[in-house]
Structure formats: C-alpha cells, structure tokens
Amino acid sequence: MDVDPPPPPLSPIHDFIPLESELSDPLPLPPPPPTLTASGRPYRERRLPRRFTDNLPEALASVPLPHESQPETGAIRRVLLIVRDRLVTTANSFGVWRDYPRRPTIDPDGSLSLEELSNSHQLSSNSPQPSPIASDVPTSLPESERPFYWPCPNATIWRVMAWLNNGKTTKSEAEATAFVETVIHASDFNKDDLIGFNAHRENQRLDKALSRAALKSQFFESSVDILVPSGDSKVPAKIFSIPWLLHRKLTSVIIDAFNDPLSHLLHLSPFKLFCHNPVTKMEERIFGELYTSDAFLAEHEDIQRHGKLPSDDLGCQREKVVAALMVSSDATHLTDFGNAKAWPFYLMLGNLSKYFRSLPNSGAMHHLAYIPSVSCLK
C-alpha cells in the first residue's frame, strides 16, 4: 500500500501564522502631501516675534467662599472657636496673590471678565438701567399719579431717551444689543409713537423738568461763616457769611454709593497683595488700592473687635464693614465758551478699585456739595 510521505517541516519564516483579525487590519494610510503656497513652495507658519506679544490682563485667583452652615438636627451641640480664619489665595500667571487676615464673604474680582479688565471697559449691558433723570421731580401732578415714563409723552420715547442718556458716550456692540432687547423688544414699544420724534426737543423737556425745586429736594441750602484775615496784624479778621451752599447728607450719599450699579464690585474685606519678583526671586508687597493698605486693614480689624451694635438690634449678626470715603473738589467749567462755572464736592468709595473708579463714565463719583461762587468780599 502506497503511503503519502509526510509534509516537509515548516521553515522558520512560516512558524508565525497571522490570525484572521490581523489579516483584516487596514494598512496605514500614507502621510498627507505637504501644504503648498500659490507659488508652489512649502507652506510655513508665520509667528509674531515674541517682543511684539502682549500679556492679556488677568484677574486674581478666585477666593473659596464659605458656605452657609446647616443647622444640626442632633441633640448634641458643638461650639467651634475660630481664633483666626486667614486665607491665602493661589498666585495667578503674573505671580500675584492675596493674603486675607479674615476669610471674605464675597469676592468682587471672582466674576470679572477680560472685557472689564481691559481699557475698553464698558458697564455690562445686564446692569440695571438708570431711571429717567426726572423721575422724582415734583410737579403739579401728584407723584402717585405719574406714569413711569414721565415726563416723556409715552413709554416708547422714554425708553429711547433712557438709552440715549445712559451716560455712555460710545455706543458699543453691547450697547446696540441692549438697545434692541430693552427698547425694540419691549412690550410697550410702539413705532407709531416715534412719528415726529426729535431727540433735542425731548432733552429740552427733561431739562425743563429739572427745576431748582428738584435740586433742593435732594440738597440742603445753608450759610457758612468764614474767617477772612485782614492782612494787617493790628486789624482783626472779619467773619463773612457765605449763603447758598448746597449740600447733601453724608449718610444719604453713602447709601446711594452702596446701591448703584457698581456696588457688586466693592471690596468689603481688605487684604494684602503680594507678588514674586522675577529678578530677586523674593516676595514683595504691592500697594495700589486703598483696601490693601495697612490703615484699612487696621480699621477693619478694630471694627470687627470693637464695632458697636445697633441699639435696636443688639443681637445683630450682619457683617461689619468699613466704608472708605474719598472726597475731592475742583472748579469746573460748565461750557466750552463763557464764564459759567461751578465748584462741586465729590465723594467716592475707596472700596472700589481705582481702575473702575477713575473711568470717566463709571458713575463712581457722587455729588456731595456745591460751593457758591463769590466774586468779591466787602
């Protein structure tokens, strides 16, 4: 019987038999062809030289705020005595960090955007829109009977004039968007009310409503006695009475400052500001704001320890803060041509950063008083 010879042994190159799954794997794709320019040369990415790049402004690291404590339901109560609740934040990309002697309850810098940190800062379009400048002017019409759009003839014109006179000289894209959302899309907007509309006439209507009685409703008129030296040691100084000094109550101005659209940016908890010196590699203290000064820190600590409680609420648990008052005064010309001038007193809160406080249209300066102009003394 013929028997087939056994198959020859596999050579080493046939010892590895690929699996079916491996045979089905696709072959790797070839690399894509290089990108060419219009002239046929390889495309090369162009980069701006490092010396022309600029670091974008960046807010300080956010502060972890305390959460409201939940009341204990068990029968066992515990009392925790916190001697010092110090908080040190992390450093940002510029190597700047904050050192709070007491943990703050709010962080006004935590929600700042790049637009607010840049030079082209504009108040957010979501900020409360200011009411008409003549909304509180008393007239023959009782205040309870005035419509909200007084003294404008209708709500449509009132909304247009409120947007026009909102204190922003440059109408940005955000302002145009706010105009459409708050004016055009308003439920009481009626295009027929704008027939014959004239902005100059409506501004004259508002100016007419701002009478002296309206000014005196917020300001008080007093006389001030000043001692004027005679210039001669043998002649005694004379007392002169200066009438028509218009002034407001200091507490009313502080209340307005804590209720205006910038109040969410007020720093109520002072802190020390530090940075890493890139040259010396050491820590350095930064002084630039009133709420980072030693005087503010010392006053805040004194208020926390020795601050008086309201006589009608001795168990008051509200936070005690310092209102840093900054007063300035300078003569101001009211017209480009002529001699009309005024000498106002302004009040600002040092709790607000100087980068917001010094903006021309920020509204951070509040009128406190007006010094009367006296041409000569006899």
mmCIF file with all atom_site columns, all heavy atoms in Angstrom, residues 162-182:
data_model
loop_
_atom_site.group_PDB
_atom_site.id
_atom_site.type_symbol
_atom_site.label_atom_id
_atom_site.label_alt_id
_atom_site.label_comp_id
_atom_site.label_asym_id
_atom_site.label_entity_id
_atom_site.label_seq_id
_atom_site.pdbx_PDB_ins_code
_atom_site.Cartn_x
_atom_site.Cartn_y
_atom_site.Cartn_z
_atom_site.occupancy
_atom_site.B_iso_or_equiv
_atom_site.pdbx_formal_charge
_atom_site.auth_seq_id
_atom_site.auth_comp_id
_atom_site.auth_asym_id
_atom_site.auth_atom_id
_atom_site.pdbx_PDB_model_num
ATOM 1   N N   . ALA A 1 162 ? -33.962 107.087 27.589 1.00 0.00 ? 162 ALA A N   1
ATOM 2   C CA  . ALA A 1 162 ? -33.201 106.452 28.670 1.00 0.00 ? 162 ALA A CA  1
ATOM 3   C C   . ALA A 1 162 ? -31.956 105.769 28.133 1.00 0.00 ? 162 ALA A C   1
ATOM 4   O O   . ALA A 1 162 ? -30.892 105.792 28.750 1.00 0.00 ? 162 ALA A O   1
ATOM 5   C CB  . ALA A 1 162 ? -34.078 105.453 29.422 1.00 0.00 ? 162 ALA A CB  1
ATOM 6   N N   . TRP A 1 163 ? -32.079 105.143 26.953 1.00 0.00 ? 163 TRP A N   1
ATOM 7   C CA  . TRP A 1 163 ? -30.903 104.530 26.338 1.00 0.00 ? 163 TRP A CA  1
ATOM 8   C C   . TRP A 1 163 ? -29.928 105.589 25.846 1.00 0.00 ? 163 TRP A C   1
ATOM 9   O O   . TRP A 1 163 ? -28.713 105.431 25.963 1.00 0.00 ? 163 TRP A O   1
ATOM 10  C CB  . TRP A 1 163 ? -31.349 103.634 25.186 1.00 0.00 ? 163 TRP A CB  1
ATOM 11  C CG  . TRP A 1 163 ? -30.192 103.032 24.424 1.00 0.00 ? 163 TRP A CG  1
ATOM 12  C CD1 . TRP A 1 163 ? -29.494 101.914 24.744 1.00 0.00 ? 163 TRP A CD1 1
ATOM 13  C CD2 . TRP A 1 163 ? -29.616 103.528 23.208 1.00 0.00 ? 163 TRP A CD2 1
ATOM 14  N NE1 . TRP A 1 163 ? -28.508 101.678 23.819 1.00 0.00 ? 163 TRP A NE1 1
ATOM 15  C CE2 . TRP A 1 163 ? -28.562 102.654 22.860 1.00 0.00 ? 163 TRP A CE2 1
ATOM 16  C CE3 . TRP A 1 163 ? -29.883 104.620 22.385 1.00 0.00 ? 163 TRP A CE3 1
ATOM 17  C CZ2 . TRP A 1 163 ? -27.788 102.845 21.721 1.00 0.00 ? 163 TRP A CZ2 1
ATOM 18  C CZ3 . TRP A 1 163 ? -29.103 104.796 21.260 1.00 0.00 ? 163 TRP A CZ3 1
ATOM 19  C CH2 . TRP A 1 163 ? -28.071 103.921 20.930 1.00 0.00 ? 163 TRP A CH2 1
ATOM 20  N N   . LEU A 1 164 ? -30.446 106.699 25.305 1.00 0.00 ? 164 LEU A N   1
ATOM 21  C CA  . LEU A 1 164 ? -29.578 107.748 24.779 1.00 0.00 ? 164 LEU A CA  1
ATOM 22  C C   . LEU A 1 164 ? -28.811 108.452 25.885 1.00 0.00 ? 164 LEU A C   1
ATOM 23  O O   . LEU A 1 164 ? -27.644 108.828 25.713 1.00 0.00 ? 164 LEU A O   1
ATOM 24  C CB  . LEU A 1 164 ? -30.422 108.758 23.987 1.00 0.00 ? 164 LEU A CB  1
ATOM 25  C CG  . LEU A 1 164 ? -29.667 109.928 23.346 1.00 0.00 ? 164 LEU A CG  1
ATOM 26  C CD1 . LEU A 1 164 ? -28.698 109.425 22.285 1.00 0.00 ? 164 LEU A CD1 1
ATOM 27  C CD2 . LEU A 1 164 ? -30.657 110.916 22.728 1.00 0.00 ? 164 LEU A CD2 1
ATOM 28  N N   . ASN A 1 165 ? -29.432 108.625 27.041 1.00 0.00 ? 165 ASN A N   1
ATOM 29  C CA  . ASN A 1 165 ? -28.819 109.380 28.139 1.00 0.00 ? 165 ASN A CA  1
ATOM 30  C C   . ASN A 1 165 ? -28.352 108.467 29.271 1.00 0.00 ? 165 ASN A C   1
ATOM 31  O O   . ASN A 1 165 ? -28.440 108.835 30.438 1.00 0.00 ? 165 ASN A O   1
ATOM 32  C CB  . ASN A 1 165 ? -29.820 110.406 28.692 1.00 0.00 ? 165 ASN A CB  1
ATOM 33  C CG  . ASN A 1 165 ? -30.205 111.444 27.666 1.00 0.00 ? 165 ASN A CG  1
ATOM 34  O OD1 . ASN A 1 165 ? -29.372 111.900 26.902 1.00 0.00 ? 165 ASN A OD1 1
ATOM 35  N ND2 . ASN A 1 165 ? -31.478 111.809 27.639 1.00 0.00 ? 165 ASN A ND2 1
ATOM 36  N N   . ASN A 1 166 ? -27.862 107.278 28.933 1.00 0.00 ? 166 ASN A N   1
ATOM 37  C CA  . ASN A 1 166 ? -27.404 106.363 29.976 1.00 0.00 ? 166 ASN A CA  1
ATOM 38  C C   . ASN A 1 166 ? -25.972 106.613 30.404 1.00 0.00 ? 166 ASN A C   1
ATOM 39  O O   . ASN A 1 166 ? -25.390 105.816 31.125 1.00 0.00 ? 166 ASN A O   1
ATOM 40  C CB  . ASN A 1 166 ? -27.573 104.910 29.529 1.00 0.00 ? 166 ASN A CB  1
ATOM 41  C CG  . ASN A 1 166 ? -26.749 104.582 28.288 1.00 0.00 ? 166 ASN A CG  1
ATOM 42  O OD1 . ASN A 1 166 ? -26.027 105.414 27.750 1.00 0.00 ? 166 ASN A OD1 1
ATOM 43  N ND2 . ASN A 1 166 ? -26.870 103.353 27.829 1.00 0.00 ? 166 ASN A ND2 1
ATOM 44  N N   . GLY A 1 167 ? -25.355 107.722 29.964 1.00 0.00 ? 167 GLY A N   1
ATOM 45  C CA  . GLY A 1 167 ? -24.026 108.095 30.425 1.00 0.00 ? 167 GLY A CA  1
ATOM 46  C C   . GLY A 1 167 ? -22.891 107.506 29.630 1.00 0.00 ? 167 GLY A C   1
ATOM 47  O O   . GLY A 1 167 ? -21.729 107.777 29.935 1.00 0.00 ? 167 GLY A O   1
ATOM 48  N N   . LYS A 1 168 ? -23.167 106.714 28.608 1.00 0.00 ? 168 LYS A N   1
ATOM 49  C CA  . LYS A 1 168 ? -22.105 106.100 27.814 1.00 0.00 ? 168 LYS A CA  1
ATOM 50  C C   . LYS A 1 168 ? -21.965 106.848 26.495 1.00 0.00 ? 168 LYS A C   1
ATOM 51  O O   . LYS A 1 168 ? -22.879 106.849 25.676 1.00 0.00 ? 168 LYS A O   1
ATOM 52  C CB  . LYS A 1 168 ? -22.419 104.623 27.571 1.00 0.00 ? 168 LYS A CB  1
ATOM 53  C CG  . LYS A 1 168 ? -22.570 103.847 28.874 1.00 0.00 ? 168 LYS A CG  1
ATOM 54  C CD  . LYS A 1 168 ? -23.064 102.446 28.646 1.00 0.00 ? 168 LYS A CD  1
ATOM 55  C CE  . LYS A 1 168 ? -23.300 101.747 29.975 1.00 0.00 ? 168 LYS A CE  1
ATOM 56  N NZ  . LYS A 1 168 ? -23.855 100.405 29.835 1.00 0.00 ? 168 LYS A NZ  1
ATOM 57  N N   . THR A 1 169 ? -20.814 107.494 26.331 1.00 0.00 ? 169 THR A N   1
ATOM 58  C CA  . THR A 1 169 ? -20.620 108.329 25.154 1.00 0.00 ? 169 THR A CA  1
ATOM 59  C C   . THR A 1 169 ? -20.387 107.505 23.895 1.00 0.00 ? 169 THR A C   1
ATOM 60  O O   . THR A 1 169 ? -20.687 107.947 22.799 1.00 0.00 ? 169 THR A O   1
ATOM 61  C CB  . THR A 1 169 ? -19.429 109.265 25.387 1.00 0.00 ? 169 THR A CB  1
ATOM 62  O OG1 . THR A 1 169 ? -18.261 108.481 25.693 1.00 0.00 ? 169 THR A OG1 1
ATOM 63  C CG2 . THR A 1 169 ? -19.702 110.196 26.564 1.00 0.00 ? 169 THR A CG2 1
ATOM 64  N N   . THR A 1 170 ? -19.820 106.333 24.034 1.00 0.00 ? 170 THR A N   1
ATOM 65  C CA  . THR A 1 170 ? -19.554 105.463 22.897 1.00 0.00 ? 170 THR A CA  1
ATOM 66  C C   . THR A 1 170 ? -20.520 104.290 22.931 1.00 0.00 ? 170 THR A C   1
ATOM 67  O O   . THR A 1 170 ? -20.538 103.516 23.878 1.00 0.00 ? 170 THR A O   1
ATOM 68  C CB  . THR A 1 170 ? -18.108 104.948 22.921 1.00 0.00 ? 170 THR A CB  1
ATOM 69  O OG1 . THR A 1 170 ? -17.221 106.054 22.946 1.00 0.00 ? 170 THR A OG1 1
ATOM 70  C CG2 . THR A 1 170 ? -17.819 104.099 21.696 1.00 0.00 ? 170 THR A CG2 1
ATOM 71  N N   . LYS A 1 171 ? -21.319 104.176 21.899 1.00 0.00 ? 171 LYS A N   1
ATOM 72  C CA  . LYS A 1 171 ? -22.290 103.088 21.824 1.00 0.00 ? 171 LYS A CA  1
ATOM 73  C C   . LYS A 1 171 ? -21.623 101.885 21.181 1.00 0.00 ? 171 LYS A C   1
ATOM 74  O O   . LYS A 1 171 ? -21.404 101.853 19.973 1.00 0.00 ? 171 LYS A O   1
ATOM 75  C CB  . LYS A 1 171 ? -23.523 103.524 21.030 1.00 0.00 ? 171 LYS A CB  1
ATOM 76  C CG  . LYS A 1 171 ? -24.219 104.760 21.593 1.00 0.00 ? 171 LYS A CG  1
ATOM 77  C CD  . LYS A 1 171 ? -24.659 104.555 23.028 1.00 0.00 ? 171 LYS A CD  1
ATOM 78  C CE  . LYS A 1 171 ? -25.387 105.765 23.563 1.00 0.00 ? 171 LYS A CE  1
ATOM 79  N NZ  . LYS A 1 171 ? -25.761 105.641 24.974 1.00 0.00 ? 171 LYS A NZ  1
ATOM 80  N N   . SER A 1 172 ? -21.269 100.892 21.985 1.00 0.00 ? 172 SER A N   1
ATOM 81  C CA  . SER A 1 172 ? -20.568 99.717  21.518 1.00 0.00 ? 172 SER A CA  1
ATOM 82  C C   . SER A 1 172 ? -21.562 98.690  20.978 1.00 0.00 ? 172 SER A C   1
ATOM 83  O O   . SER A 1 172 ? -22.776 98.916  20.932 1.00 0.00 ? 172 SER A O   1
ATOM 84  C CB  . SER A 1 172 ? -19.742 99.117  22.659 1.00 0.00 ? 172 SER A CB  1
ATOM 85  O OG  . SER A 1 172 ? -20.598 98.748  23.722 1.00 0.00 ? 172 SER A OG  1
ATOM 86  N N   . GLU A 1 173 ? -21.028 97.528  20.582 1.00 0.00 ? 173 GLU A N   1
ATOM 87  C CA  . GLU A 1 173 ? -21.902 96.446  20.120 1.00 0.00 ? 173 GLU A CA  1
ATOM 88  C C   . GLU A 1 173 ? -22.820 95.975  21.240 1.00 0.00 ? 173 GLU A C   1
ATOM 89  O O   . GLU A 1 173 ? -23.992 95.664  21.010 1.00 0.00 ? 173 GLU A O   1
ATOM 90  C CB  . GLU A 1 173 ? -21.046 95.284  19.607 1.00 0.00 ? 173 GLU A CB  1
ATOM 91  C CG  . GLU A 1 173 ? -20.238 95.619  18.355 1.00 0.00 ? 173 GLU A CG  1
ATOM 92  C CD  . GLU A 1 173 ? -19.372 94.449  17.918 1.00 0.00 ? 173 GLU A CD  1
ATOM 93  O OE1 . GLU A 1 173 ? -19.301 93.480  18.696 1.00 0.00 ? 173 GLU A OE1 1
ATOM 94  O OE2 . GLU A 1 173 ? -18.788 94.516  16.825 1.00 0.00 ? 173 GLU A OE2 1
ATOM 95  N N   . ALA A 1 174 ? -22.280 95.937  22.461 1.00 0.00 ? 174 ALA A N   1
ATOM 96  C CA  . ALA A 1 174 ? -23.118 95.529  23.590 1.00 0.00 ? 174 ALA A CA  1
ATOM 97  C C   . ALA A 1 174 ? -24.244 96.533  23.830 1.00 0.00 ? 174 ALA A C   1
ATOM 98  O O   . ALA A 1 174 ? -25.359 96.151  24.200 1.00 0.00 ? 174 ALA A O   1
ATOM 99  C CB  . ALA A 1 174 ? -22.260 95.384  24.843 1.00 0.00 ? 174 ALA A CB  1
ATOM 100 N N   . GLU A 1 175 ? -23.951 97.812  23.636 1.00 0.00 ? 175 GLU A N   1
ATOM 101 C CA  . GLU A 1 175 ? -24.989 98.826  23.806 1.00 0.00 ? 175 GLU A CA  1
ATOM 102 C C   . GLU A 1 175 ? -26.069 98.691  22.733 1.00 0.00 ? 175 GLU A C   1
ATOM 103 O O   . GLU A 1 175 ? -27.253 98.862  23.012 1.00 0.00 ? 175 GLU A O   1
ATOM 104 C CB  . GLU A 1 175 ? -24.355 100.217 23.750 1.00 0.00 ? 175 GLU A CB  1
ATOM 105 C CG  . GLU A 1 175 ? -23.735 100.673 25.053 1.00 0.00 ? 175 GLU A CG  1
ATOM 106 C CD  . GLU A 1 175 ? -24.778 100.807 26.134 1.00 0.00 ? 175 GLU A CD  1
ATOM 107 O OE1 . GLU A 1 175 ? -25.664 101.665 26.028 1.00 0.00 ? 175 GLU A OE1 1
ATOM 108 O OE2 . GLU A 1 175 ? -24.721 100.023 27.091 1.00 0.00 ? 175 GLU A OE2 1
ATOM 109 N N   . ALA A 1 176 ? -25.655 98.416  21.503 1.00 0.00 ? 176 ALA A N   1
ATOM 110 C CA  . ALA A 1 176 ? -26.650 98.230  20.441 1.00 0.00 ? 176 ALA A CA  1
ATOM 111 C C   . ALA A 1 176 ? -27.528 97.018  20.726 1.00 0.00 ? 176 ALA A C   1
ATOM 112 O O   . ALA A 1 176 ? -28.747 97.054  20.502 1.00 0.00 ? 176 ALA A O   1
ATOM 113 C CB  . ALA A 1 176 ? -25.944 98.079  19.091 1.00 0.00 ? 176 ALA A CB  1
ATOM 114 N N   . THR A 1 177 ? -26.916 95.947  21.239 1.00 0.00 ? 177 THR A N   1
ATOM 115 C CA  . THR A 1 177 ? -27.706 94.764  21.603 1.00 0.00 ? 177 THR A CA  1
ATOM 116 C C   . THR A 1 177 ? -28.672 95.084  22.735 1.00 0.00 ? 177 THR A C   1
ATOM 117 O O   . THR A 1 177 ? -29.839 94.659  22.717 1.00 0.00 ? 177 THR A O   1
ATOM 118 C CB  . THR A 1 177 ? -26.770 93.622  22.020 1.00 0.00 ? 177 THR A CB  1
ATOM 119 O OG1 . THR A 1 177 ? -25.851 93.353  20.950 1.00 0.00 ? 177 THR A OG1 1
ATOM 120 C CG2 . THR A 1 177 ? -27.558 92.375  22.350 1.00 0.00 ? 177 THR A CG2 1
ATOM 121 N N   . ALA A 1 178 ? -28.198 95.848  23.721 1.00 0.00 ? 178 ALA A N   1
ATOM 122 C CA  . ALA A 1 178 ? -29.072 96.227  24.826 1.00 0.00 ? 178 ALA A CA  1
ATOM 123 C C   . ALA A 1 178 ? -30.211 97.119  24.342 1.00 0.00 ? 178 ALA A C   1
ATOM 124 O O   . ALA A 1 178 ? -31.327 97.041  24.860 1.00 0.00 ? 178 ALA A O   1
ATOM 125 C CB  . ALA A 1 178 ? -28.259 96.952  25.905 1.00 0.00 ? 178 ALA A CB  1
ATOM 126 N N   . PHE A 1 179 ? -29.945 97.972  23.356 1.00 0.00 ? 179 PHE A N   1
ATOM 127 C CA  . PHE A 1 179 ? -30.997 98.839  22.814 1.00 0.00 ? 179 PHE A CA  1
ATOM 128 C C   . PHE A 1 179 ? -32.119 98.013  22.187 1.00 0.00 ? 179 PHE A C   1
ATOM 129 O O   . PHE A 1 179 ? -33.305 98.285  22.402 1.00 0.00 ? 179 PHE A O   1
ATOM 130 C CB  . PHE A 1 179 ? -30.398 99.789  21.780 1.00 0.00 ? 179 PHE A CB  1
ATOM 131 C CG  . PHE A 1 179 ? -31.412 100.652 21.084 1.00 0.00 ? 179 PHE A CG  1
ATOM 132 C CD1 . PHE A 1 179 ? -31.961 101.751 21.721 1.00 0.00 ? 179 PHE A CD1 1
ATOM 133 C CD2 . PHE A 1 179 ? -31.820 100.361 19.795 1.00 0.00 ? 179 PHE A CD2 1
ATOM 134 C CE1 . PHE A 1 179 ? -32.901 102.542 21.091 1.00 0.00 ? 179 PHE A CE1 1
ATOM 135 C CE2 . PHE A 1 179 ? -32.758 101.151 19.154 1.00 0.00 ? 179 PHE A CE2 1
ATOM 136 C CZ  . PHE A 1 179 ? -33.306 102.240 19.806 1.00 0.00 ? 179 PHE A CZ  1
ATOM 137 N N   . VAL A 1 180 ? -31.746 97.002  21.435 1.00 0.00 ? 180 VAL A N   1
ATOM 138 C CA  . VAL A 1 180 ? -32.767 96.165  20.791 1.00 0.00 ? 180 VAL A CA  1
ATOM 139 C C   . VAL A 1 180 ? -33.551 95.373  21.843 1.00 0.00 ? 180 VAL A C   1
ATOM 140 O O   . VAL A 1 180 ? -34.780 95.262  21.771 1.00 0.00 ? 180 VAL A O   1
ATOM 141 C CB  . VAL A 1 180 ? -32.103 95.220  19.771 1.00 0.00 ? 180 VAL A CB  1
ATOM 142 C CG1 . VAL A 1 180 ? -33.121 94.232  19.214 1.00 0.00 ? 180 VAL A CG1 1
ATOM 143 C CG2 . VAL A 1 180 ? -31.476 96.026  18.643 1.00 0.00 ? 180 VAL A CG2 1
ATOM 144 N N   . GLU A 1 181 ? -32.837 94.834  22.858 1.00 0.00 ? 181 GLU A N   1
ATOM 145 C CA  . GLU A 1 181 ? -33.508 93.995  23.848 1.00 0.00 ? 181 GLU A CA  1
ATOM 146 C C   . GLU A 1 181 ? -34.390 94.790  24.792 1.00 0.00 ? 181 GLU A C   1
ATOM 147 O O   . GLU A 1 181 ? -35.470 94.341  25.164 1.00 0.00 ? 181 GLU A O   1
ATOM 148 C CB  . GLU A 1 181 ? -32.456 93.218  24.644 1.00 0.00 ? 181 GLU A CB  1
ATOM 149 C CG  . GLU A 1 181 ? -31.699 92.186  23.810 1.00 0.00 ? 181 GLU A CG  1
ATOM 150 C CD  . GLU A 1 181 ? -30.631 91.478  24.624 1.00 0.00 ? 181 GLU A CD  1
ATOM 151 O OE1 . GLU A 1 181 ? -30.389 91.910  25.769 1.00 0.00 ? 181 GLU A OE1 1
ATOM 152 O OE2 . GLU A 1 181 ? -30.041 90.498  24.113 1.00 0.00 ? 181 GLU A OE2 1
ATOM 153 N N   . THR A 1 182 ? -33.926 95.973  25.207 1.00 0.00 ? 182 THR A N   1
ATOM 154 C CA  . THR A 1 182 ? -34.670 96.741  26.211 1.00 0.00 ? 182 THR A CA  1
ATOM 155 C C   . THR A 1 182 ? -35.626 97.764  25.615 1.00 0.00 ? 182 THR A C   1
ATOM 156 O O   . THR A 1 182 ? -36.505 98.241  26.320 1.00 0.00 ? 182 THR A O   1
ATOM 157 C CB  . THR A 1 182 ? -33.692 97.465  27.143 1.00 0.00 ? 182 THR A CB  1
ATOM 158 O OG1 . THR A 1 182 ? -32.868 98.369  26.378 1.00 0.00 ? 182 THR A OG1 1
ATOM 159 C CG2 . THR A 1 182 ? -32.784 96.478  27.870 1.00 0.00 ? 182 THR A CG2 1
#
